[in-house]
Amino acid sequence: MGQPTPATDDGWWRSAVIYQVYVRSFADGDGDGTGDLAGVRARLPYLAELGVDALWFNPWYRSPMKDGGYDVADYRAVDPAFGTLAEAEKLIAEARGLGIRTLVDIVPNHVSDQHPWFRAALAGGPERELFHFRPGRGEHGELPPNDWQSEFGGPAWTRLPDGDWYLHLFAPEQPDLNWAHPAVRQEHEDILRFWFERGVAGVRIDSAALLVKHPELPDVTEGRDPHPYVDRDELHDVYRAWRAVADEYGAVFVGEVWLPDAERFARYLRPDELHTAFNFSFMSCPWDAARLRRSIDDTLAEHAPVGAPATWVLCNHDVTRTVTRYGRADTGFDFATKAFGTPTDLALGTRRARAAALLSLALPGVVYVYQGEELGLPEADIPLDRIEDPMHARSGGSDPGRDGCRVPLPWAAGEPHAGFGGEPWLPQPDGWAAYAADRQAEDPGSMLRLYREAVRLRPVFGDGPPTWLPAPDGVLAFARADALCVVNLSDTPVDLPAHSELLLAGGPLDTAGRLPRDTAVWLRA
């Protein structure tokens, strides 16, 4: 077992660059076509050279994989497809030896229908109280107990042969836990301790605002306040208890909190609750200077009252990749408007993605980089018969799902399957090898080299907030410490502000030394 993280906090997480590892698609160490912990361990030098401070792993626990591992059957075991618990402990220790901390994913809203608790509940045991079982409505109980809808489409209820229904805000294979039951709370605190004692430095909390439900499970009627299952006040007691556990180990939390109300959002970041939460406003913002500036200002303002650092992310395992999103006519992000075959200008998207990388890495706080973003990977079109994401099936095929951003990474241009390992579990598109890490490492103008240099130079911006500088319409310009960041989102080249040195550019300046459209630079004042 790895050594526990000392119960001290040096604040590393306030300005960290954290790399998200979707293990199944990162690197295949045993040649079976599925990424695994052996593959990650073999690529730790690559991650160290990238300069990241920590790795966030999507769930690596034992799971039937009905939702990419977010249907957890056993939190204390690594899924055999990925390796063993002993390998996870070695990975945590080896990464720490390279100065890289580890964050794991916890999915507290639900478990797998193969979890021992749910299997016992189906058998009529007392574990039934750990979930939400209800009789149906209608003359014969043939209607769901309420009008709640699954996040994946369709009713959030499934009927059992005995006539009762059970709640699942996601897939039917992911029954929701009853967080009013003390055993559920105790189990999750024990799970936190289990991983903290193995050297894990932090936890990402999936669907962090959905755990607690109104005890009567009422319909979601228009304007109901408070909501029957989103952002319930009782939830804060859960996270206060979790924070007490984390503080024993010097560990940190990042919550997946989707809330439109800034004041309600900030409550999760009070000093005795979560350390950080993801900033989805910035990620979902279109490529528009005014809206990006407003998102940045609003984000910093939301965090200021509770003293929490902001987080910045351009993409993750649930979102269309940045290059593709920014190459579309409508660069905003909305699950509901995703469609197959949306026309994309990859050259345009790549320029904007390079500029967005420099913008996010110049801002104060924590930056998350989803695997493959540093390679400039586009969204992949997955053949219909190969789609595994349940969002596709649950939507009746109207939503392509999230597999397009989960395609296994290309590592070596001249090797089979672009060096990933065995034949990948999701098909790699034709030409995927052109994005291979080994090829990009040799190209000074590649996306990989840009990310490496940006992460290396990032400390020049210091710790303070940004000061916005006068700039033409469509241009973002701000100073932090003695460094400037300028991003041109307008239609024409612009002159650079006065500076002493050009530190890094997302692309070449024009012949007059001006900053072209869809390009960013870092300057020394």
Side-chain angles (χ1 to χ4, degrees):
M1 182 186 302
Q3 293 298 311
T5 302
T8 58
D9 178 7
D10 61 6
W12 68 270
W13 49 276
R14 289 185 165 274
S15 59
V17 176
I18 301 177
Y19 186 93
Q20 180 187 354
V21 179
Y22 192 79
V23 179
R24 197 177 182 189
S25 297
F26 186 71
D28 172 18
D30 62 9
D32 66 356
T34 295
D36 47 39
L37 301 188
V40 179
R41 290 174 62 199
R43 299 294 180 178
L44 284 176
Y46 167 88
L47 296 166
E49 188 170 7
L50 186 57
V52 300
D53 300 293
L55 307 176
W56 156 35
F57 289 89
N58 291 98
W60 57 26
Y61 315 110
R62 186 182 297 275
S63 167
M65 298 293 169
K66 298 298 184 182
D67 182 26
Y70 282 88
D71 48 321
V72 179
D74 185 352
Y75 269 113
R76 295 173 178 83
V78 170
D79 194 272
F82 300 145
T84 65
L85 179 59
E87 282 185 284
E89 292 170 346
K90 288 180 181 178
L91 172 55
I92 293 166
E94 289 169 358
R96 194 68 186 91
L98 293 171
I100 302 173
R101 293 171 168 86
T102 297
L103 283 72
V104 295
D105 220 314
I106 297 292
V107 192
N109 179 71
H110 49 263
V111 292
S112 165
D113 61 356
Q114 300 304 305
H115 191 282
W117 279 1
F118 194 69
R119 293 166 69 94
L122 293 182
E127 290 83 359
R128 210 170 177 89
E129 297 180 2
L130 305 178
F131 301 90
H132 298 280
F133 287 89
R134 293 291 189 277
R137 297 191 289 193
E139 183 178 356
H140 303 290
E142 72 278 10
L143 300 176
N146 64 28
D147 65 356
W148 297 5
Q149 296 294 297
S150 163
E151 296 290 318
F152 291 166
W157 294 91
T158 291
R159 197 178 193 188
L160 297 168
D162 65 8
D164 269 357
W165 298 72
Y166 70 88
L167 175 67
H168 52 85
L169 290 180
F170 293 86
E173 296 87 358
Q174 297 168 294
D176 278 36
L177 290 165
N178 174 17
W179 274 86
H181 199 292
V184 173
R185 296 195 179 202
Q186 185 61 56
E187 169 68 358
H188 282 78
E189 291 176 26
D190 291 347
I191 290 168
L192 293 175
R193 292 181 187 278
F194 179 87
W195 287 105
F196 291 156
E197 288 172 2
R198 281 157 179 78
V200 163
V203 166
R204 180 262 190 183
I205 307 167
D206 181 72
S207 301
L210 303 184
L211 281 56
V212 176
K213 278 74 174 178
H214 189 294
E216 297 177 5
L217 305 184
D219 284 347
V220 180
T221 55
E222 188 67 30
R224 177 179 288 277
D225 186 21
H227 194 282
Y229 63 82
V230 177
D231 185 33
R232 304 280 302 172
D233 285 343
E234 306 95 308
L235 185 51
H236 295 282
D237 290 336
V238 173
Y239 292 136
R240 289 190 186 97
W242 284 27
R243 179 61 177 260
V245 174
D247 285 348
E248 295 177 28
Y249 296 87
V252 299
F253 293 121
V254 55
E256 183 190 27
V257 182
W258 294 76
L259 293 176
D261 186 316
E263 184 177 348
R264 299 288 300 186
F265 172 83
R267 295 178 72 211
Y268 289 86
L269 301 176
R270 289 175 291 194
D272 61 345
E273 295 192 41
L274 307 183
H275 300 74
T276 61
F278 283 122
N279 168 22
F280 294 111
S281 163
F282 183 76
M283 179 180 68
S284 61
C285 199
W287 189 246
D288 177 88
R291 293 179 65 176
L292 280 168
R293 175 167 173 171
R294 184 163 62 250
S295 174
I296 293 167
D297 286 340
D298 289 349
T299 296
L300 295 174
E302 288 170 6
H303 289 73
V306 288
T311 64
W312 312 101
V313 59
L314 296 173
C315 182
N316 62 33
H317 64 292
D318 289 331
V319 178
T320 301
R321 282 200 178 271
T322 310
V323 164
T324 298
R325 203 170 68 249
Y326 281 159
R328 290 175 174 165
D330 176 8
T331 57
F333 166 68
D334 184 347
F335 277 124
T337 60
K338 286 194 298 184
F340 291 104
T342 304
T344 297
D345 181 340
L346 289 183
L348 174 65
T350 298
R351 288 201 309 274
R352 289 176 171 176
R354 292 172 67 91
L358 294 190
L359 172 61
S360 61
L361 285 163
L363 292 168
V366 189
V367 175
Y368 283 80
V369 178
Y370 176 50
Q371 66 178 42
E373 288 292 288
E374 82 282 10
L375 300 177
L377 297 183
E379 188 83 354
D381 288 326
I382 308 299
L384 293 180
D385 62 347
R386 296 293 300 275
I387 293 176
E388 297 199 11
D389 186 0
M391 289 186 72
H392 176 63
R394 293 279 295 180
S395 69
S398 64
D399 191 314
R402 300 160 293 178
D403 288 345
C405 67
R406 301 175 178 182
V407 173
L409 299 189
W411 288 102
E415 295 182 11
H417 314 302
F420 171 72
E423 182 175 353
W425 68 279
L426 279 177
Q428 295 172 320
D430 293 339
W432 208 235
Y435 297 96
D438 66 341
R439 178 175 292 181
Q440 293 203 34
E442 301 301 319
D443 178 5
S446 70
M447 185 76 82
L448 176 58
R449 292 283 289 270
L450 179 72
Y451 264 90
R452 285 179 178 175
E453 189 66 5
V455 173
R456 185 185 71 82
L457 288 173
R458 188 172 183 242
V460 302
F461 286 97
D463 298 323
T467 298
W468 292 105
L469 304 175
D473 289 344
V475 176
L476 298 174
F478 61 85
R480 293 180 59 219
D482 66 345
L484 314 177
C485 176
V486 185
V487 188
N488 183 10
L489 296 88
S490 72
D491 293 331
T492 59
V494 296
D495 293 325
L496 296 177
H499 62 280
S500 63
E501 181 184 359
L502 174 62
L503 296 171
L504 185 61
L509 303 182
D510 71 8
T511 55
R514 296 173 302 181
L515 185 64
R517 60 183 298 184
D518 300 316
T519 308
V521 290
W522 289 359
L523 309 169
R524 194 181 301 279

